[in-house]
């Protein structure tokens, strides 16, 4: 799956899961995009498995209701690894949160692991 276009598409679909507010539709996306053995880790959470990842997505959507995730620029990739910046904010507005993720795909083109970093977060 080392094709940059495939990893670009996977990153775009990954961002779409963060924006899917319907729990049933979101879970279908998680099951489609994420490998059976998968993990998501950032400074605030370590989620292992699809159920935990889906719960994390739902919790983030609850915390940041009405905000939208977008890619913050191009996806850079090699082999089965992609890195990209993402932004979270009001549609068409300034980002309140900015992060950087490293996505690792498996041989079937599904997400195996995501390692997330937070570059900008709202002050308390």
């Amino acid at each position: 799956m080392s094709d940059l276009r495939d990893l670009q598409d996977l990153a775009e679909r990954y961002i779409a899961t963060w924006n899917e507010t319907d729990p049933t539709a979101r879970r279908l996306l998680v099951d489609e995009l994420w490998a059976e053995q998968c993990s998501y880790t950032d400074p605030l959470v370590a989620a292992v498995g699809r159920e935990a990842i889906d719960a994390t997505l739902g919790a983030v959507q609850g915390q940041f209701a009405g905000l939208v995730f977008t890619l913050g620029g191009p996806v850079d990739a090699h082999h089965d690894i992609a890195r990209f910046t993402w932004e979270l904010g009001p549609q068409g507005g300034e980002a309140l949160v900015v992060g950087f993720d490293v996505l690792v795909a498996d041989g079937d083109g599904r997400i195996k692991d995501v390692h997330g970093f937070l570059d900008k977060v709202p002050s308390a």
Side-chain angles (χ1 to χ4, degrees), residues 72-111:
V75 174
D76 184 25
H78 64 82
H79 296 84
D80 292 333
I81 303 168
R83 66 178 182 156
F84 50 90
T85 298
W86 53 263
E87 298 177 345
L88 174 65
Q91 184 72 42
E94 183 179 343
L96 304 174
V97 182
V98 177
F100 181 89
D101 284 359
V102 177
L103 179 154
V104 180
D106 69 7
D108 295 325
R110 290 178 142 176
I111 301 169

